[in-house]
Amino acid sequence: MSFPATRLRRLRRTDTLRALVRETSLSLDDVVMPLFACPGEGVVRPVAGLPGIAQRSVDELAREASELATRGIRAVLLFGIPESKDDEGSGAWDADGIVQRALRALRAETPGLTLLTDVCLCEYTAHGHCGTLCEAGDSVANDETLDLLVRTAVSHVEAGADAVCPSDMMDGRVGAIRAALPETPIVSYAAKYASAFYGPFREVAESTPALGDRRGYQMDPANAREALRECALDLDEGADVLMVKPALPYLDVIRAVRERFDCPVWAYQVSGEYAMIRAAADAGHLEERRAALESLTAIKRAGAGTVVTYWAKELGEWL
Ligand code: PBG
């Protein structure tokens, strides 16, 4: 008598057989490494919550970028920590701002690397919100913020960005950026949830809101259908790629977006997802490499074509 499962076991007999019937693959072509640029020279400032990740001055960032390129990483996503912050976040669109300087350095020193930039104001505003505040100071002024985001995206492209990734979640921002930049690929953080898993990122980007939280503009973790509406709007406005963020707690959303739309779908495995596994591994409770590869494979299996991940650098060694 033969159990149906026996047939499946036959396919697990050797590594090659396993590989030949594998449904999901992970390669260096499908990962993007986030990088954090900060002022100064010779600065490599590690972040407590994100072991292995650091803020780097532009010279050190260029060194790190060439190391990534050597390891086979194809693309990086740039964030900046400015010298000083103000109410509007003017450091975000300064032609000589931190991301703009990093872009020019990387363009020159690692020409083969694709440079994506996060377009948002929260690292640049003194209050830490993703846009400028309305007069009462208790909410973000959506329409006033759009113009500032457009200026930011345009300044990134002028400094050498290959694609821009608006992550602010203001209404209408993709359309506004598209009108100013008809030829630039836009990777929209379309389904971005108001998540506790951004904790370590806010430490490294120094962007924790001074007052309140981001629930006014980021999505409620309880909603999946709303994510599809956000995605449809962003596509209509001219987005080229839809991104879901965070990744592992939102696999159902990744799957739903993949099934509904024909465009490329990316996922952002965020800082808290990385920090959890790193902390458990550092405490000896699990194997970092296996847990990382398993989560990344799961995110791809759910439907993400590309994953932004803090493990991209290690993947260069692991794969
Ligand atoms: C900027 C931005 C955030 C992240 C990416 N872009 C933080 C936030 O919205 O609070 C989070 C990334 C991570 O946690 O790794 N708005």
Side-chain angles (χ1 to χ4, degrees), residues 118 120 167 192 198 201-202 214 218 245 270-271 310:
D118 186 90
C120 193
S167 73
K192 176 170 174 179
Y198 307 148
F201 171 93
R202 293 185 186 168
R214 302 207 208 291
Q218 297 182 353
K245 169 178 173 209
V270 301
S271 56
Y310 298 95

